[in-house]
Amino acid sequence: MWGPNGRAKVGGRERSRYCLKYWPLPPVPLLKGRLRLLLHARKHIEIERILGKGEARLQEKESHSLSPLSGNNTFPLLFSSLLCFNHQPAFLCLIPLRVLRANACFLLSWVLDISDPGLETMGAGGRMSVPPSSAKVESDVFKRAPDSKPPFTLGQIKKAIPPHCFQRSVLRSFSYVAHDLIIASIFYYVATNYFHLLPHPLSYVAWPIYWAVQGCVLTGVWVIAHECGHHAFSDYQLLDDIVGLVLHSCLLVPYFSWKHSHRRHHSNTGSLDRDEVFVPKKKSGIRWYSKYLNNPLGRFLTITITLTLGWPLYLAFNVSGRPYDRFACHYDPYGPIYNDRERVEIFISDAGILAVTYGLYRLAVAKGLGWVLCVYGGPLLVVNAFLVLITYLQHTHPSLPHYDSSEWDWLKGALATVDRDYGILNKVFHNITDTHVAHHLFSMMPHYHAMEATKAIKPILGDYYQHDGTPVYKATWREAKECIYVHPDDDDDDKQKNKGVFWYRNKLD
Protein backbone atom coordinates (compact mmCIF):
# COMPACT_ATOMS: atom_id res chain seq x y z
CA MET A 1 0.00 0.00 0.00
CA TRP A 2 2.73 2.42 0.89
CA GLY A 3 5.02 3.79 -1.84
CA PRO A 4 8.79 4.11 -1.64
CA ASN A 5 8.51 7.68 -0.44
CA GLY A 6 6.24 6.70 2.42
CA ARG A 7 3.14 8.07 0.71
CA ALA A 8 0.02 6.46 -0.72
CA LYS A 9 -3.01 7.60 -2.66
CA VAL A 10 -6.15 7.37 -0.57
CA GLY A 11 -9.45 8.84 -1.67
CA GLY A 12 -7.78 10.52 -4.63
CA ARG A 13 -5.20 12.33 -2.50
CA GLU A 14 -1.73 11.43 -1.35
CA ARG A 15 -1.26 10.80 2.34
CA SER A 16 1.81 10.21 4.41
CA ARG A 17 2.12 7.30 6.80
CA TYR A 18 3.89 9.68 9.16
CA CYS A 19 0.67 11.62 9.60
CA LEU A 20 -0.06 9.26 12.48
CA LYS A 21 3.14 10.13 14.34
CA TYR A 22 1.43 12.36 16.88
CA TRP A 23 -1.82 10.43 16.99
CA PRO A 24 -1.26 7.18 18.90
CA LEU A 25 -4.18 4.81 19.11
CA PRO A 26 -6.44 5.02 22.17
CA PRO A 27 -6.30 2.18 24.70
CA VAL A 28 -8.58 -0.26 22.93
CA PRO A 29 -9.56 -2.49 25.88
CA LEU A 30 -10.73 0.53 27.87
CA LEU A 31 -12.61 2.26 25.07
CA LYS A 32 -14.17 -0.64 23.21
CA GLY A 33 -17.26 -0.89 25.38
CA ARG A 34 -17.69 2.88 25.44
CA LEU A 35 -17.44 3.15 21.69
CA ARG A 36 -19.99 0.41 21.11
CA LEU A 37 -22.40 2.13 23.47
CA LEU A 38 -21.74 5.40 21.67
CA LEU A 39 -22.75 3.97 18.32
CA HIS A 40 -26.05 2.68 19.70
CA ALA A 41 -26.92 5.51 22.08
CA ARG A 42 -26.45 8.28 19.55
CA LYS A 43 -28.35 6.77 16.66
CA HIS A 44 -31.17 9.23 17.26
CA ILE A 45 -28.96 12.17 16.28
CA GLU A 46 -29.40 13.05 12.66
CA ILE A 47 -25.96 13.29 11.04
CA GLU A 48 -25.58 14.70 7.53
CA ARG A 49 -22.57 13.33 5.72
CA ILE A 50 -21.08 15.75 3.26
CA LEU A 51 -19.01 13.84 0.74
CA GLY A 52 -16.69 15.41 -1.76
CA LYS A 53 -14.05 13.86 -3.99
CA GLY A 54 -14.02 10.59 -2.13
CA GLU A 55 -13.48 11.89 1.41
CA ALA A 56 -15.65 13.27 4.19
CA ARG A 57 -15.38 17.00 4.65
CA LEU A 58 -16.03 19.23 7.59
CA GLN A 59 -18.99 21.56 7.67
CA GLU A 60 -17.87 24.45 9.86
CA LYS A 61 -21.06 25.85 11.38
CA GLU A 62 -19.44 27.30 14.48
CA SER A 63 -15.68 27.69 14.32
CA HIS A 64 -15.31 28.03 18.09
CA SER A 65 -17.11 24.78 18.90
CA LEU A 66 -15.21 21.56 19.50
CA SER A 67 -18.35 19.46 19.26
CA PRO A 68 -17.93 16.88 16.49
CA LEU A 69 -21.56 17.40 15.60
CA SER A 70 -21.20 21.13 15.09
CA GLY A 71 -17.99 21.40 13.13
CA ASN A 72 -17.61 17.88 11.80
CA ASN A 73 -20.06 15.51 10.26
CA THR A 74 -17.72 12.51 10.01
CA PHE A 75 -17.85 11.60 13.70
CA PRO A 76 -19.78 8.35 13.09
CA LEU A 77 -17.35 7.49 10.27
CA LEU A 78 -14.39 7.72 12.64
CA PHE A 79 -15.83 5.45 15.30
CA SER A 80 -17.41 3.03 12.87
CA SER A 81 -13.94 2.57 11.44
CA LEU A 82 -12.50 2.04 14.92
CA LEU A 83 -14.77 -0.94 15.38
CA CYS A 84 -14.87 -2.32 11.86
CA PHE A 85 -11.08 -2.32 11.33
CA ASN A 86 -10.41 -3.74 14.78
CA HIS A 87 -8.28 -0.72 15.68
CA GLN A 88 -5.55 -1.30 13.08
CA PRO A 89 -3.50 1.86 12.41
CA ALA A 90 -3.59 1.55 8.62
CA PHE A 91 -7.25 2.62 8.38
CA LEU A 92 -6.57 5.98 10.01
CA CYS A 93 -5.06 7.25 6.82
CA LEU A 94 -8.64 7.41 5.56
CA ILE A 95 -9.48 10.05 8.15
CA PRO A 96 -8.19 13.60 7.62
CA LEU A 97 -6.13 14.96 10.50
CA ARG A 98 -8.55 17.85 10.97
CA VAL A 99 -11.28 15.27 11.56
CA LEU A 100 -9.22 13.58 14.24
CA ARG A 101 -8.41 16.89 15.91
CA ALA A 102 -12.06 17.91 15.92
CA ASN A 103 -13.09 14.63 17.51
CA ALA A 104 -10.25 14.19 20.00
CA CYS A 105 -11.58 16.57 22.64
CA PHE A 106 -15.09 15.20 22.38
CA LEU A 107 -13.81 11.65 22.67
CA LEU A 108 -11.87 12.45 25.85
CA SER A 109 -14.75 14.35 27.42
CA TRP A 110 -17.22 11.59 26.62
CA VAL A 111 -15.04 8.71 27.75
CA LEU A 112 -14.02 10.45 30.96
CA ASP A 113 -17.59 11.68 31.61
CA ILE A 114 -16.55 15.33 31.39
CA SER A 115 -19.67 17.34 30.66
CA ASP A 116 -19.67 20.35 28.41
CA PRO A 117 -22.67 22.66 28.88
CA GLY A 118 -22.18 23.92 25.38
CA LEU A 119 -23.13 20.54 23.98
CA GLU A 120 -26.52 20.46 25.63
CA THR A 121 -28.29 22.87 23.35
CA MET A 122 -29.37 22.61 19.77
CA GLY A 123 -29.21 26.01 18.18
CA ALA A 124 -28.77 27.37 14.72
CA GLY A 125 -25.16 26.21 14.80
CA GLY A 126 -26.30 22.61 14.81
CA ARG A 127 -25.13 21.67 18.27
CA MET A 128 -26.19 18.38 19.67
CA SER A 129 -29.36 18.27 21.68
CA VAL A 130 -29.57 16.08 24.73
CA PRO A 131 -32.79 14.05 24.68
CA PRO A 132 -35.26 15.41 27.21
CA SER A 133 -35.57 13.44 30.39
CA SER A 134 -38.59 11.22 30.88
CA ALA A 135 -39.78 13.54 33.64
CA LYS A 136 -39.78 16.47 31.24
CA VAL A 137 -41.63 14.53 28.57
CA GLU A 138 -44.19 13.41 31.14
CA SER A 139 -44.68 16.97 32.34
CA ASP A 140 -45.29 18.14 28.76
CA VAL A 141 -47.89 15.39 28.27
CA PHE A 142 -49.70 16.31 31.47
CA LYS A 143 -49.58 20.05 30.81
CA ARG A 144 -53.16 21.25 30.98
CA ALA A 145 -54.88 22.70 27.96
CA PRO A 146 -56.27 26.23 28.31
CA ASP A 147 -59.77 26.28 29.77
CA SER A 148 -60.50 29.99 29.39
CA LYS A 149 -62.52 31.52 26.59
CA PRO A 150 -60.40 31.36 23.40
CA PRO A 151 -59.10 34.67 22.04
CA PHE A 152 -60.37 33.71 18.57
CA THR A 153 -63.72 32.85 17.05
CA LEU A 154 -64.86 29.98 14.88
CA GLY A 155 -65.05 32.40 11.96
CA GLN A 156 -61.41 33.36 12.37
CA ILE A 157 -60.43 29.70 12.40
CA LYS A 158 -62.43 29.06 9.26
CA LYS A 159 -60.79 31.98 7.43
CA ALA A 160 -57.39 30.37 8.00
CA ILE A 161 -58.47 27.25 6.09
CA PRO A 162 -58.25 27.30 2.27
CA PRO A 163 -61.80 27.44 0.83
CA HIS A 164 -61.33 24.31 -1.28
CA CYS A 165 -61.02 22.24 1.90
CA PHE A 166 -64.77 22.56 2.39
CA GLN A 167 -65.62 21.31 -1.10
CA ARG A 168 -67.03 17.78 -1.32
CA SER A 169 -66.51 15.63 -4.41
CA VAL A 170 -68.77 12.66 -5.12
CA LEU A 171 -66.18 11.08 -7.41
CA ARG A 172 -63.34 11.45 -4.95
CA SER A 173 -65.41 10.22 -2.03
CA PHE A 174 -66.50 7.13 -3.94
CA SER A 175 -62.89 6.48 -4.92
CA TYR A 176 -62.08 5.91 -1.25
CA VAL A 177 -65.04 3.56 -0.90
CA ALA A 178 -63.91 1.59 -3.95
CA HIS A 179 -60.30 1.56 -2.74
CA ASP A 180 -61.20 0.12 0.65
CA LEU A 181 -63.66 -2.43 -0.71
CA ILE A 182 -61.21 -3.66 -3.34
CA ILE A 183 -58.50 -4.21 -0.71
CA ALA A 184 -61.01 -5.93 1.59
CA SER A 185 -62.08 -8.18 -1.32
CA ILE A 186 -58.47 -9.14 -2.01
CA PHE A 187 -57.92 -10.13 1.61
CA TYR A 188 -61.17 -12.08 1.56
CA TYR A 189 -60.16 -13.87 -1.65
CA VAL A 190 -56.75 -14.83 -0.30
CA ALA A 191 -58.19 -16.05 3.02
CA THR A 192 -60.94 -18.16 1.50
CA ASN A 193 -58.92 -19.62 -1.38
CA TYR A 194 -55.47 -20.20 0.05
CA PHE A 195 -55.59 -20.49 3.83
CA HIS A 196 -56.94 -24.04 3.65
CA LEU A 197 -53.88 -25.01 1.59
CA LEU A 198 -51.50 -24.03 4.37
CA PRO A 199 -50.04 -26.66 6.67
CA HIS A 200 -52.34 -27.09 9.63
CA PRO A 201 -50.30 -25.17 12.26
CA LEU A 202 -49.80 -22.16 9.97
CA SER A 203 -53.53 -21.59 9.61
CA TYR A 204 -53.68 -20.67 13.28
CA VAL A 205 -51.30 -17.82 12.47
CA ALA A 206 -52.80 -16.82 9.11
CA TRP A 207 -56.34 -16.26 10.36
CA PRO A 208 -55.46 -13.82 13.18
CA ILE A 209 -53.32 -11.88 10.70
CA TYR A 210 -56.29 -11.75 8.34
CA TRP A 211 -58.56 -10.54 11.16
CA ALA A 212 -56.14 -7.75 12.03
CA VAL A 213 -55.50 -6.42 8.51
CA GLN A 214 -59.07 -6.89 7.32
CA GLY A 215 -60.35 -5.23 10.49
CA CYS A 216 -58.12 -2.21 9.86
CA VAL A 217 -59.38 -1.85 6.28
CA LEU A 218 -63.01 -2.19 7.36
CA THR A 219 -62.41 0.43 10.04
CA GLY A 220 -61.61 2.76 7.14
CA VAL A 221 -64.96 1.80 5.61
CA TRP A 222 -66.60 2.59 8.95
CA VAL A 223 -64.98 6.04 8.91
CA ILE A 224 -66.37 6.77 5.45
CA ALA A 225 -69.86 5.83 6.64
CA HIS A 226 -69.25 8.11 9.62
CA GLU A 227 -68.55 10.91 7.13
CA CYS A 228 -71.88 10.21 5.49
CA GLY A 229 -73.54 10.77 8.85
CA HIS A 230 -71.92 14.20 8.99
CA HIS A 231 -72.98 15.06 5.41
CA ALA A 232 -69.28 15.26 4.51
CA PHE A 233 -69.43 12.61 1.74
CA SER A 234 -71.18 14.66 -0.95
CA ASP A 235 -73.41 17.65 -1.48
CA TYR A 236 -76.47 15.39 -1.59
CA GLN A 237 -77.97 14.39 1.75
CA LEU A 238 -79.96 11.50 0.28
CA LEU A 239 -76.86 10.03 -1.35
CA ASP A 240 -74.93 10.35 1.91
CA ASP A 241 -77.67 8.57 3.84
CA ILE A 242 -77.93 5.72 1.32
CA VAL A 243 -74.17 5.09 1.27
CA GLY A 244 -73.91 5.43 5.04
CA LEU A 245 -76.89 3.11 5.65
CA VAL A 246 -75.44 0.37 3.42
CA LEU A 247 -71.88 0.57 4.77
CA HIS A 248 -72.81 0.85 8.42
CA SER A 249 -75.47 -1.85 8.25
CA CYS A 250 -72.92 -4.24 6.76
CA LEU A 251 -70.82 -3.60 9.89
CA LEU A 252 -73.88 -4.08 12.14
CA VAL A 253 -74.08 -0.39 13.02
CA PRO A 254 -77.55 1.22 13.11
CA TYR A 255 -76.76 4.12 10.80
CA PHE A 256 -79.48 6.66 11.59
CA SER A 257 -79.52 5.80 15.28
CA TRP A 258 -75.81 6.44 15.58
CA LYS A 259 -75.99 9.47 13.25
CA HIS A 260 -78.38 11.32 15.53
CA SER A 261 -76.69 10.45 18.81
CA HIS A 262 -73.29 11.27 17.32
CA ARG A 263 -74.55 14.61 16.09
CA ARG A 264 -75.56 15.43 19.67
CA HIS A 265 -72.08 14.41 20.79
CA HIS A 266 -70.61 16.99 18.42
CA SER A 267 -73.08 19.57 19.67
CA ASN A 268 -72.18 18.99 23.33
CA THR A 269 -68.55 17.85 23.35
CA GLY A 270 -66.85 18.33 26.69
CA SER A 271 -70.09 18.91 28.58
CA LEU A 272 -70.57 16.79 31.68
CA ASP A 273 -74.32 17.34 31.48
CA ARG A 274 -75.15 16.81 27.81
CA ASP A 275 -72.32 14.97 26.00
CA GLU A 276 -73.33 11.60 24.59
CA VAL A 277 -70.29 9.31 24.73
CA PHE A 278 -67.38 8.63 27.06
CA VAL A 279 -68.80 11.05 29.56
CA PRO A 280 -66.39 10.98 32.53
CA LYS A 281 -67.80 10.35 35.97
CA LYS A 282 -67.43 12.70 38.88
CA LYS A 283 -65.87 11.32 42.03
CA SER A 284 -69.29 10.96 43.63
CA GLY A 285 -70.37 8.76 40.72
CA ILE A 286 -67.55 6.26 41.00
CA ARG A 287 -68.79 2.73 41.68
CA TRP A 288 -67.76 0.89 44.85
CA TYR A 289 -65.74 -1.70 42.92
CA SER A 290 -63.58 0.89 41.10
CA LYS A 291 -60.92 0.85 43.82
CA TYR A 292 -60.52 -2.90 43.34
CA LEU A 293 -59.86 -2.38 39.63
CA ASN A 294 -57.31 0.39 40.20
CA ASN A 295 -54.33 -1.93 39.72
CA PRO A 296 -52.53 -3.44 36.71
CA LEU A 297 -54.70 -6.55 36.57
CA GLY A 298 -57.90 -4.55 36.99
CA ARG A 299 -56.86 -2.07 34.30
CA PHE A 300 -56.02 -4.87 31.88
CA LEU A 301 -59.41 -6.45 32.51
CA THR A 302 -61.19 -3.11 32.06
CA ILE A 303 -59.39 -2.33 28.80
CA THR A 304 -60.09 -5.82 27.43
CA ILE A 305 -63.81 -5.63 28.19
CA THR A 306 -64.03 -2.08 26.81
CA LEU A 307 -62.41 -2.99 23.50
CA THR A 308 -64.31 -6.23 22.96
CA LEU A 309 -67.76 -5.50 24.37
CA GLY A 310 -67.75 -1.71 24.66
CA TRP A 311 -69.38 -0.96 21.31
CA PRO A 312 -72.31 -3.43 21.47
CA LEU A 313 -72.87 -2.48 25.13
CA TYR A 314 -73.04 1.19 24.17
CA LEU A 315 -75.52 0.54 21.37
CA ALA A 316 -77.73 -1.79 23.37
CA PHE A 317 -77.50 -0.34 26.90
CA ASN A 318 -75.92 3.13 26.50
CA VAL A 319 -72.91 2.07 28.59
CA SER A 320 -70.47 4.99 29.00
CA GLY A 321 -73.07 7.28 27.42
CA ARG A 322 -75.04 10.19 28.77
CA PRO A 323 -77.36 9.24 31.63
CA TYR A 324 -81.07 9.43 30.85
CA ASP A 325 -84.13 9.31 33.06
CA ARG A 326 -85.06 5.91 31.70
CA PHE A 327 -83.57 3.03 29.74
CA ALA A 328 -81.80 4.21 26.59
CA CYS A 329 -81.02 2.01 23.60
CA HIS A 330 -79.93 2.84 20.05
CA TYR A 331 -82.33 0.24 18.65
CA ASP A 332 -85.39 1.66 20.40
CA PRO A 333 -87.20 4.21 18.19
CA TYR A 334 -89.17 5.44 21.21
CA GLY A 335 -86.17 5.71 23.49
CA PRO A 336 -85.17 8.99 25.16
CA ILE A 337 -82.25 9.49 22.78
CA TYR A 338 -84.51 10.40 19.86
CA ASN A 339 -87.30 12.85 19.18
CA ASP A 340 -90.48 12.29 17.23
CA ARG A 341 -89.02 13.44 13.91
CA GLU A 342 -86.22 10.87 14.11
CA ARG A 343 -88.23 7.77 15.00
CA VAL A 344 -89.00 6.67 11.44
CA GLU A 345 -85.30 6.70 10.58
CA ILE A 346 -84.56 4.55 13.63
CA PHE A 347 -86.94 1.95 12.24
CA ILE A 348 -85.01 2.08 8.94
CA SER A 349 -81.73 1.54 10.79
CA ASP A 350 -83.17 -1.46 12.61
CA ALA A 351 -84.40 -2.88 9.29
CA GLY A 352 -80.89 -2.58 7.86
CA ILE A 353 -79.42 -4.45 10.84
CA LEU A 354 -82.05 -7.18 10.57
CA ALA A 355 -81.38 -7.60 6.83
CA VAL A 356 -77.65 -8.05 7.33
CA THR A 357 -78.21 -10.36 10.30
CA TYR A 358 -80.48 -12.54 8.17
CA GLY A 359 -77.85 -12.62 5.44
CA LEU A 360 -75.24 -13.78 7.95
CA TYR A 361 -77.64 -16.47 9.16
CA ARG A 362 -78.06 -17.78 5.61
CA LEU A 363 -74.29 -17.82 5.18
CA ALA A 364 -73.90 -19.75 8.41
CA VAL A 365 -76.43 -22.31 7.20
CA ALA A 366 -74.69 -22.65 3.83
CA LYS A 367 -71.02 -22.53 4.86
CA GLY A 368 -71.06 -23.13 8.59
CA LEU A 369 -70.90 -20.92 11.63
CA GLY A 370 -67.13 -21.34 11.88
CA TRP A 371 -66.67 -19.96 8.35
CA VAL A 372 -68.77 -16.88 9.14
CA LEU A 373 -66.91 -16.27 12.41
CA CYS A 374 -63.51 -16.56 10.71
CA VAL A 375 -64.31 -14.52 7.60
CA TYR A 376 -66.62 -11.90 9.12
CA GLY A 377 -66.67 -12.16 12.91
CA GLY A 378 -62.93 -11.78 13.54
CA PRO A 379 -62.52 -8.60 11.46
CA LEU A 380 -65.73 -7.17 12.97
CA LEU A 381 -64.26 -7.54 16.47
CA VAL A 382 -61.20 -5.60 15.32
CA VAL A 383 -63.40 -2.86 13.81
CA ASN A 384 -65.38 -2.54 17.04
CA ALA A 385 -62.19 -2.43 19.11
CA PHE A 386 -60.64 0.29 16.97
CA LEU A 387 -63.66 2.56 16.86
CA VAL A 388 -63.98 2.37 20.66
CA LEU A 389 -60.24 2.92 21.11
CA ILE A 390 -60.13 5.85 18.70
CA THR A 391 -63.10 7.57 20.35
CA TYR A 392 -61.78 6.90 23.84
CA LEU A 393 -58.31 8.31 23.16
CA GLN A 394 -59.66 11.35 21.34
CA HIS A 395 -61.68 12.46 24.34
CA THR A 396 -59.73 11.03 27.27
CA HIS A 397 -56.45 12.68 28.20
CA PRO A 398 -54.98 14.06 31.45
CA SER A 399 -54.61 17.52 29.86
CA LEU A 400 -58.20 17.87 28.64
CA PRO A 401 -60.80 19.85 30.61
CA HIS A 402 -64.45 19.02 30.97
CA TYR A 403 -67.11 21.57 31.85
CA ASP A 404 -70.39 21.74 33.67
CA SER A 405 -73.21 23.99 32.47
CA SER A 406 -71.74 27.06 34.19
CA GLU A 407 -68.52 27.00 32.15
CA TRP A 408 -69.30 25.09 28.96
CA ASP A 409 -69.68 26.65 25.56
CA TRP A 410 -69.52 25.01 22.16
CA LEU A 411 -66.08 26.23 21.05
CA LYS A 412 -64.39 25.38 24.35
CA GLY A 413 -65.97 21.94 24.22
CA ALA A 414 -64.97 21.32 20.61
CA LEU A 415 -61.36 22.14 21.51
CA ALA A 416 -61.44 19.69 24.43
CA THR A 417 -60.23 16.84 22.26
CA VAL A 418 -56.82 15.60 21.17
CA ASP A 419 -55.22 14.36 17.96
CA ARG A 420 -53.39 11.03 18.22
CA ASP A 421 -50.77 9.32 16.09
CA TYR A 422 -51.47 5.78 14.92
CA GLY A 423 -48.54 5.62 12.51
CA ILE A 424 -49.38 4.07 9.16
CA LEU A 425 -52.92 3.42 10.38
CA ASN A 426 -53.58 7.16 10.16
CA LYS A 427 -53.89 6.71 6.40
CA VAL A 428 -55.80 3.46 6.67
CA PHE A 429 -58.31 5.18 8.96
CA HIS A 430 -58.53 8.18 6.61
CA ASN A 431 -56.85 10.47 9.16
CA ILE A 432 -59.79 10.49 11.56
CA THR A 433 -57.17 9.80 14.23
CA ASP A 434 -54.78 12.71 13.75
CA THR A 435 -57.22 15.38 12.52
CA HIS A 436 -59.92 15.03 15.14
CA VAL A 437 -59.63 18.60 16.43
CA ALA A 438 -60.36 19.97 12.96
CA HIS A 439 -63.15 17.41 12.56
CA HIS A 440 -64.89 18.67 15.70
CA LEU A 441 -64.62 22.25 14.54
CA PHE A 442 -65.84 21.53 10.99
CA SER A 443 -67.51 18.13 10.89
CA MET A 444 -68.85 18.60 7.35
CA MET A 445 -65.32 18.87 5.93
CA PRO A 446 -64.28 15.81 3.86
CA HIS A 447 -61.55 13.70 5.41
CA TYR A 448 -59.26 14.12 2.40
CA HIS A 449 -58.90 17.83 3.23
CA ALA A 450 -58.56 17.45 6.99
CA MET A 451 -54.76 17.25 7.08
CA GLU A 452 -54.39 20.48 5.14
CA ALA A 453 -56.97 22.15 7.36
CA THR A 454 -55.22 20.95 10.52
CA LYS A 455 -51.94 22.50 9.41
CA ALA A 456 -53.73 25.75 8.61
CA ILE A 457 -55.47 26.09 11.98
CA LYS A 458 -52.55 25.19 14.24
CA PRO A 459 -51.08 28.73 14.26
CA ILE A 460 -54.51 30.14 15.13
CA LEU A 461 -55.26 27.65 17.90
CA GLY A 462 -51.82 27.81 19.51
CA ASP A 463 -51.97 26.17 22.95
CA TYR A 464 -55.62 25.29 22.39
CA TYR A 465 -54.54 22.66 19.86
CA GLN A 466 -53.77 19.35 21.55
CA HIS A 467 -51.71 16.57 20.01
CA ASP A 468 -50.16 13.58 21.72
CA GLY A 469 -47.71 11.41 19.83
CA THR A 470 -47.44 8.81 22.59
CA PRO A 471 -47.65 5.30 21.11
CA VAL A 472 -51.23 4.13 21.23
CA TYR A 473 -50.64 1.11 23.45
CA LYS A 474 -48.79 3.25 26.00
CA ALA A 475 -51.39 6.00 25.85
CA THR A 476 -54.22 3.49 26.38
CA TRP A 477 -52.58 2.10 29.51
CA ARG A 478 -51.69 5.57 30.82
CA GLU A 479 -55.18 6.97 30.33
CA ALA A 480 -56.74 3.92 31.98
CA LYS A 481 -54.47 4.60 34.94
CA GLU A 482 -54.67 8.39 35.17
CA CYS A 483 -58.19 9.20 33.97
CA ILE A 484 -60.55 7.55 36.45
CA TYR A 485 -62.86 10.44 37.33
CA VAL A 486 -63.03 14.23 36.98
CA HIS A 487 -62.94 16.80 39.75
CA PRO A 488 -62.61 20.61 39.88
CA ASP A 489 -59.65 22.40 41.45
CA ASP A 490 -61.76 23.50 44.40
CA ASP A 491 -58.94 23.07 46.91
CA ASP A 492 -57.05 26.06 45.57
CA ASP A 493 -58.37 29.51 46.48
CA ASP A 494 -56.82 30.97 43.34
CA LYS A 495 -58.91 28.66 41.20
CA GLN A 496 -62.29 29.10 42.84
CA LYS A 497 -63.43 30.98 39.76
CA ASN A 498 -62.98 27.78 37.71
CA LYS A 499 -65.12 25.48 39.84
CA GLY A 500 -67.06 24.57 36.71
CA VAL A 501 -63.92 23.20 35.04
CA PHE A 502 -63.18 19.54 35.78
CA TRP A 503 -59.91 17.65 35.33
CA TYR A 504 -59.08 13.99 35.36
CA ARG A 505 -57.89 12.48 38.63
CA ASN A 506 -56.84 8.99 39.69
CA LYS A 507 -56.71 9.11 43.49
CA LEU A 508 -59.25 6.85 45.10
CA ASP A 509 -59.77 6.80 48.85
Side-chain angles (χ1 to χ4, degrees):
M1 176 177 178
W2 300 104
N5 58 351
R7 304 183 70 82
K9 285 189 176 182
V10 179
R13 294 180 58 184
E14 283 194 345
R15 306 222 179 237
S16 171
R17 60 182 169 185
Y18 302 109
C19 67
L20 304 177
K21 182 176 180 180
Y22 299 104
W23 293 93
L25 286 175
V28 175
L30 295 178
L31 298 182
K32 187 173 181 180
R34 279 282 191 170
L35 297 177
R36 290 188 184 276
L37 287 175
L38 178 67
L39 287 174
H40 294 286
R42 301 187 185 278
K43 281 183 180 179
H44 66 279
I45 304 172
E46 295 182 1
I47 307 297
E48 179 186 0
R49 291 187 177 179
I50 303 176
L51 302 178
K53 298 182 179 180
E55 68 171 321
R57 298 181 301 163
L58 296 176
Q59 184 185 20
E60 296 292 341
K61 291 187 177 180
E62 290 188 29
S63 60
H64 65 277
S65 174
L66 291 177
S67 168
L69 299 181
S70 62
N72 167 19
N73 288 313
T74 58
F75 183 63
L77 178 62
L78 169 62
F79 290 104
S80 298
S81 302
L82 279 172
L83 295 179
C84 296
F85 285 83
N86 199 22
H87 310 288
Q88 298 300 318
F91 86 94
L92 287 174
C93 65
L94 298 175
I95 311 296
L97 282 178
R98 54 186 176 178
V99 176
L100 292 171
R101 292 190 186 102
N103 284 281
C105 293
F106 182 82
L107 172 64
L108 290 175
S109 65
W110 192 86
V111 172
L112 298 177
D113 290 328
I114 300 174
S115 61
D116 180 2
L119 299 180
E120 297 180 0
T121 58
M122 183 70 176
R127 294 193 175 194
M128 179 182 63
S129 64
V130 177
S133 65
S134 58
K136 181 178 180 181
V137 173
E138 195 72 10
S139 65
D140 290 343
V141 169
F142 284 84
K143 181 181 178 182
R144 289 181 173 181
D147 58 78
S148 59
K149 184 176 178 64
F152 46 78
T153 64
L154 184 65
Q156 291 172 327
I157 301 174
K158 188 173 183 179
K159 287 181 180 179
I161 301 175
H164 71 268
C165 290
F166 297 96
Q167 297 176 0
R168 295 161 292 195
S169 168
V170 174
L171 183 61
R172 187 170 182 181
S173 294
F174 267 113
S175 71
Y176 286 97
V177 177
H179 172 271
D180 288 353
L181 294 182
I182 288 173
I183 294 180
S185 300
I186 292 173
F187 288 150
Y188 165 81
Y189 177 82
V190 171
T192 55
N193 287 275
Y194 294 101
F195 280 10
H196 69 280
L197 302 177
L198 295 172
H200 185 64
L202 291 181
S203 62
Y204 291 104
V205 178
W207 279 110
I209 293 175
Y210 164 78
W211 298 339
V213 295
Q214 186 75 298
C216 290
V217 174
L218 293 180
T219 302
V221 175
W222 195 100
V223 172
I224 294 176
H226 153 269
E227 293 236 311
C228 294
H230 283 293
H231 193 24
F233 186 83
S234 73
D235 292 331
Y236 309 100
Q237 183 67 67
L238 179 60
L239 177 62
D240 287 8
D241 287 341
I242 292 174
V243 174
L245 177 65
V246 172
L247 296 181
H248 262 173
S249 297
C250 289
L251 296 173
L252 296 183
V253 178
Y255 170 73
F256 287 107
S257 305
W258 174 87
K259 170 185 173 180
H260 294 308
S261 66
H262 189 67
R263 186 184 71 246
R264 293 189 178 90
H265 159 64
H266 272 257
S267 300
N268 301 281
T269 307
S271 170
L272 292 175
D273 303 317
R274 301 184 60 84
D275 202 352
E276 286 285 343
V277 63
F278 282 117
V279 183
K281 291 181 173 61
K282 298 179 182 179
K283 190 173 184 179
S284 58
I286 294 295
R287 301 293 181 90
W288 62 269
Y289 52 78
S290 297
K291 61 181 180 180
Y292 299 107
L293 297 176
N294 192 25
N295 54 69
L297 180 60
R299 282 189 287 272
F300 177 79
L301 180 63
T302 301
I303 293 172
T304 302
I305 294 176
T306 300
L307 296 184
T308 53
L309 300 178
W311 178 243
L313 288 176
Y314 170 67
L315 293 178
F317 304 105
N318 198 39
V319 174
S320 81
R322 169 188 170 184
Y324 286 93
D325 296 335
R326 59 189 180 92
F327 176 72
C329 173
H330 279 72
Y331 303 103
D332 181 9
Y334 298 97
I337 303 177
Y338 311 108
N339 57 43
D340 293 337
R341 292 179 300 174
E342 298 165 347
R343 304 199 192 283
V344 173
E345 293 180 335
I346 309 307
F347 278 111
I348 296 175
S349 292
D350 292 347
I353 297 297
L354 289 175
V356 173
T357 302
Y358 179 74
L360 292 173
Y361 165 74
R362 299 301 302 174
L363 278 176
V365 171
K367 294 182 174 292
L369 179 61
W371 187 92
V372 173
L373 292 178
C374 285
V375 173
Y376 178 82
L380 185 65
L381 285 177
V382 175
V383 172
N384 292 346
F386 267 122
L387 67 93
V388 171
L389 180 65
I390 291 170
T391 307
Y392 172 74
L393 291 182
Q394 286 167 342
H395 298 280
T396 307
H397 194 279
S399 70
L400 294 180
H402 286 76
Y403 308 95
D404 66 11
S405 57
S406 66
E407 285 285 339
W408 182 88
D409 68 45
W410 183 87
L411 184 55
K412 288 168 62 175
L415 294 172
T417 183
V418 58
D419 287 349
R420 301 280 189 168
D421 186 4
Y422 285 68
I424 192 174
L425 293 180
N426 289 332
K427 294 296 182 183
V428 179
F429 298 159
H430 304 301
N431 295 108
I432 193 63
T433 48
D434 55 345
T435 63
H436 196 67
V437 176
H439 172 67
H440 261 273
L441 294 171
F442 307 101
S443 58
M444 295 177 65
M445 179 191 301
H447 69 84
Y448 39 82
H449 294 314
M451 285 297 295
E452 183 179 359
T454 297
K455 293 178 181 178
I457 66 177
K458 282 182 182 180
I460 304 296
L461 300 184
D463 291 338
Y464 285 84
Y465 174 76
Q466 296 295 306
H467 178 275
D468 190 350
T470 303
V472 171
Y473 68 95
K474 289 185 178 180
T476 304
W477 185 262
R478 183 191 67 205
E479 266 58 297
K481 179 181 178 181
E482 300 293 337
C483 304
I484 299 178
Y485 63 93
V486 291
H487 197 269
D489 290 324
D490 54 2
D491 296 332
D492 191 339
D493 293 337
D494 294 335
K495 297 180 179 179
Q496 287 293 325
K497 60 181 180 180
N498 291 332
K499 291 183 65 175
V501 181
F502 291 72
W503 303 93
Y504 277 110
R505 305 282 183 87
N506 67 345
K507 301 299 181 182
L508 293 175
D509 298 332

